[in-house]
Amino acid sequence: MKSIECNGSLLLYPFLLLIVISSQYIPFSPFSPAFSIHNNQINRRSNISRIEESLGRARAAIRTASQTHRFVSLKNQSFIPRGLIYKNPYAFHQSHIEMEKRFKIWVYKEGEPPLFHNGPSKQIYSIEGQFIGELEDEDSPFIAHNPDEALAFFLPISVAKIVQNLYPTGYYHRDRLQRVFTDYVYVLSNKYQYWNRSSGADHFFVGCHDWAPFVSQANLKLFGNMIRVLCNANTSEGFQPSRDVSLVEINIPYNSLGPPLLDQSQLPPPINRSILAFFAGGPHGIVRETLFEYWKEKDKDIQVHEYLSKDTNNHSTYFEIMRKTKYCLCPSGYEVASPRVVESIYSGCVPVIISDGYVLPFSEVLDWEQFSVYIPVAKIPKIKEILEGISIDEYLKKQNLVMEVQRHFVLHRPAQPFDLLYMILHSVWLRRLNIRISF
């Protein structure tokens, strides 16, 4: 019988709590000799103790860095995070160092493509395939070559591939998706000890498809502790920031690893950007419908288009307009996440988040208030008033910080420290760091 309780102490970041999980795992085979069961329990207790000692040292190092404003590393640091874009740059820096030093992930081998060990690597759900591909690479420094050395366990399942391969057109019931996940976890929990010893709290999956949050609804008792890494990070639909991770949605074209990325020298001076605000896209969901109702083709300063006209309907012109714009509107679609957040940052355009309940990516580390603007859905009619109320000095400050934060949203393969994939891993690392397994 396992229990999960919070000891009430804050760790690292304001909303993350240290969760204590009591593991009293009983082997599935009832026919094992008593001495074998006893030896297995001793080995498991020793392994858990080793893992927790390592995590304890990491926690202590991060606390010390936060208090002393100094970091400790055994290798040269090519980048040192400092400045206003971070909530606590010293804690983040040391945490990233500890992650690189200690974080090992076991990728389960069970399952066959296309549903497992595979995912879309281009277009709207591409972060699923890119992340799975990175962790399937044996050269990844985060790969555990033995599950006993792992601090976390990855379920290499693609929600997008399940929907693509198991769902005929017009069938929207989530039961097939939920059965694939439930069956997979039952296989793993009967074959290995790892899910059972933590009730799944050190396991995670990555899902950018809109349906990914529904995975856990099939069996809340089974999936209630699992770390869900979701693009659809909506608190009104059950996303829990203390457990779940907000995943960046990025639309990757076929000929690159992301939208066009330009540094400040390749962009017009921020003061010369002639368009106050811009959005172009489909009328997906109530937020965009409201945006179109008030602003579509109605104001030369707030340029809102359902789609660009036929003579400009191409990506190059879309991004050219973004580069001429001070504030890029990022309204939710059918779900809260939007690839326009990344597109804005790549274009040096201050993102304007128009959403309710959206937990922004990396918000445990990044201070989004410094380099973006948040407008509640109810204030869509006042978009122009709000943006014109921001002083030019404040705009220039935000735009400069947008350029600083770019590095954390750039995708590399293989991944590099502080880039997009490392930031996603760091968000998972923090959730694992805030879990303590006691035997």
Side-chain angles (χ1 to χ4, degrees):
M1 184 71 181
K2 304 175 195 68
S3 62
I4 298 178
E5 60 182 27
C6 174
N7 70 357
S9 62
L10 296 176
L11 178 65
L12 304 184
Y13 301 103
F15 66 81
L16 291 180
L17 302 176
L18 181 58
I19 306 298
V20 179
I21 296 178
S22 176
S23 176
Q24 297 178 10
Y25 169 75
I26 300 175
F28 273 88
S29 172
F31 306 108
S32 301
F35 72 89
S36 178
I37 294 176
H38 179 67
N39 287 341
N40 287 340
Q41 289 176 336
I42 291 175
N43 291 335
R44 282 193 294 274
R45 186 179 295 111
S46 175
N47 185 49
I48 292 173
S49 296
R50 177 184 57 79
I51 289 172
E52 291 304 325
E53 287 174 5
S54 177
L55 291 173
R57 287 191 291 270
R59 295 183 190 110
I62 296 165
R63 284 196 188 97
T64 299
S66 180
Q67 294 165 358
T68 64
H69 291 185
R70 297 177 181 176
F71 68 90
V72 177
S73 176
L74 298 179
K75 65 177 184 179
N76 292 330
Q77 297 292 301
S78 59
F79 171 71
I80 298 177
R82 295 291 184 268
L84 295 174
I85 64 173
Y86 305 106
K87 291 181 176 179
N88 188 331
Y90 304 98
F92 171 49
H93 189 192
Q94 191 66 48
S95 180
H96 198 281
I97 291 171
E98 299 299 323
M99 176 188 73
E100 289 189 80
K101 181 165 57 175
R102 305 176 190 276
F103 199 27
K104 296 298 180 183
I105 300 167
W106 175 256
V107 180
Y108 283 110
K109 312 302 180 186
E110 286 72 16
E112 298 292 337
L115 308 186
F116 303 87
H117 307 286
N118 187 22
S121 58
K122 300 296 179 182
Q123 301 301 307
I124 195 68
Y125 301 129
S126 53
I127 195 65
E128 279 190 20
Q130 294 291 343
F131 189 91
I132 291 172
E134 182 69 23
L135 281 193
E136 294 277 359
D137 187 344
E138 287 297 318
D139 292 330
S140 169
F142 297 101
I143 289 297
H145 298 287
N146 183 319
D148 284 336
E149 70 179 14
L151 298 183
F153 299 81
F154 179 54
L155 309 181
I157 311 176
S158 169
V159 176
K161 286 293 185 179
I162 291 174
V163 175
Q164 177 185 337
N165 288 277
L166 297 186
Y167 278 81
T169 302
Y171 185 78
Y172 300 108
H173 200 283
R174 311 312 197 247
D175 57 343
R176 297 181 183 181
L177 169 67
Q178 293 167 339
R179 280 202 300 270
V180 170
F181 267 82
T182 300
D183 291 348
Y184 191 65
V185 168
Y186 278 144
V187 168
L188 299 179
S189 63
N190 278 278
K191 188 174 182 179
Y192 306 105
Q193 60 171 300
Y194 307 105
W195 179 279
N196 298 285
R197 76 181 185 187
S198 69
S199 297
D202 53 1
H203 287 59
F204 70 101
F205 82 97
V206 169
C208 197
H209 194 278
D210 294 352
W211 292 5
F214 293 95
V215 165
S216 57
Q217 292 183 4
N219 190 330
L220 295 178
K221 184 177 181 180
L222 179 65
F223 294 115
N225 301 310
M226 179 177 63
I227 301 168
R228 304 179 305 166
V229 185
L230 306 173
C231 286
N232 188 10
N234 189 344
T235 56
S236 69
E237 296 179 0
F239 183 89
Q240 298 183 28
S242 61
R243 178 198 64 193
D244 301 323
V245 170
S246 178
L247 181 63
V248 172
E249 185 169 301
I250 181 171
N251 193 348
I252 300 179
Y254 284 99
N255 59 348
S256 71
L257 281 177
L261 175 65
L262 300 176
D263 61 35
Q264 193 75 282
S265 65
Q266 299 169 293
L267 294 168
I271 197 70
N272 291 344
R273 292 184 177 232
S274 57
I275 302 170
L276 179 62
F278 166 70
F279 171 80
H284 305 149
I286 187 65
V287 177
R288 294 191 189 180
E289 290 175 3
T290 305
L291 180 67
F292 291 154
E293 177 185 351
Y294 285 94
W295 296 106
K296 178 183 172 184
E297 316 290 354
K298 292 182 179 179
D299 192 294
K300 64 180 180 63
D301 296 320
I302 310 295
Q303 295 193 13
V304 173
H305 310 280
E306 185 167 336
Y307 290 104
L308 295 177
S309 60
K310 290 184 179 179
D311 60 338
T312 61
N313 191 15
N314 59 75
H315 268 194
S316 61
T317 302
Y318 174 81
F319 288 111
E320 285 173 9
I321 296 175
M322 293 187 93
R323 294 179 197 124
K324 297 176 183 177
T325 302
K326 290 183 172 69
Y327 298 97
C328 289
L329 305 181
C330 305
S332 295
Y334 290 125
E335 303 296 347
V336 290
S338 169
R340 283 166 184 79
V341 176
V342 171
E343 292 167 356
S344 300
I345 292 172
Y346 276 38
S347 301
C349 184
V350 177
V352 178
I353 312 300
I354 307 175
S355 179
D356 292 335
Y358 183 28
V359 177
L360 289 160
F362 318 136
S363 54
E364 66 274 16
V365 168
L366 300 180
D367 188 351
W368 281 85
E369 290 184 9
Q370 299 294 332
F371 56 90
S372 69
V373 176
Y374 169 67
I375 297 180
V377 174
K379 292 190 176 181
I380 285 177
K382 296 185 176 182
I383 286 177
K384 187 171 184 178
E385 177 184 341
I386 292 170
L387 296 182
E388 287 184 334
I390 300 173
S391 69
I392 188 63
D393 288 342
E394 181 66 16
Y395 159 69
L396 292 174
K397 172 187 168 185
K398 286 182 180 292
Q399 197 278 337
N400 183 62
L401 294 177
V402 166
M403 303 308 295
E404 285 188 25
V405 85
Q406 272 185 352
R407 71 163 58 241
H408 298 310
F409 292 88
V410 177
L411 177 66
H412 296 105
R413 294 293 307 276
Q416 299 177 13
F418 297 101
D419 76 352
L420 178 59
L421 291 175
Y422 266 64
M423 290 293 286
I424 296 169
L425 285 165
H426 182 261
S427 291
V428 177
W429 156 253
L430 282 182
R431 272 66 180 180
R432 179 61 186 92
L433 199 61
N434 283 274
I435 296 168
R436 178 174 294 160
I437 302 173
S438 62
F439 200 92

